Structures are given as C-alpha cells and as structure tokens.
Amino acid sequence: MVEVNENLDQSWFIDDDGDSLSYTVTSSKSEVVDVEIGHGSYTDLDGNQVTDTRILVTGKTLGMSTITLTAEDGKGGRQSVTFDLQVI
C-alpha cells in the first residue's frame, strides 16, 4: 500500500511494507509545460552523498497545467498527488 505523506520534510510518498517505489509524472497540458522524473545527487552538510528523485519542469508557453505525480510499489499499491503549475 502506498500513501501520500502530508509531512513535506520527508518524501511525499511512503510504503507501509518498505517496498521501493517507482514514479511517473504527467502534465495535463503538454503544450504549456513538459515534465519528467529526474534524479539529483549532492553532498549534505555531514559529507554524505545523497541522491533524490525530482520533477524536472520545462515551461514552453504561458498558461496553467495540472501536474500529477504517481508512485507505485509494483505490488498493486498506487497513490497520486496533483498540483497546478502556472508558467508566467
């Protein structure tokens, strides 16, 4: 089971069984904005290498689009969050 985590200090999604999650992202208006899943790496203040999953956004024209981020655990658990993104 995948759930949305309301605590923004952590990942948006949690899996009760600890299964690894795969992500997809879509834009309701691809003519306004392109979105894709990407990964970023950085060194934190303690010197640890950290890799995280990010939404990469490319604005194409002025307008509004609804972005949907979905997480799946590969065992039937699935959850999505949506938000509006305005390109100005």
Side-chain angles (χ1 to χ4, degrees):
M1 175 180 194
V2 180
E3 297 178 15
V4 176
N5 184 354
E6 298 297 330
N7 181 351
L8 296 181
D9 292 337
Q10 299 177 15
S11 173
W12 276 6
F13 299 100
I14 55 173
D15 184 88
D16 293 340
D17 303 323
D19 299 324
S20 62
L21 300 174
S22 62
Y23 300 94
T24 56
V25 65
T26 59
S27 168
S28 67
K29 294 185 180 174
S30 60
E31 68 274 12
V32 173
V33 63
D34 278 335
V35 291
E36 63 182 297
I37 296 295
H39 302 281
S41 296
Y42 60 93
T43 303
D44 68 12
L45 295 175
D46 295 324
N48 301 311
Q49 186 71 20
V50 178
T51 301
D52 60 9
T53 302
R54 300 173 181 194
I55 300 173
L56 305 176
V57 177
T58 304
K60 296 166 70 176
T61 188
L62 299 178
M64 180 82 71
S65 180
T66 299
I67 307 303
T68 302
L69 177 63
T70 302
E72 296 184 70
D73 67 2
K75 298 179 181 177
R78 178 182 179 152
Q79 189 60 260
S80 297
V81 294
T82 61
F83 57 92
D84 292 328
L85 180 76
Q86 182 174 5
V87 177
I88 55 173

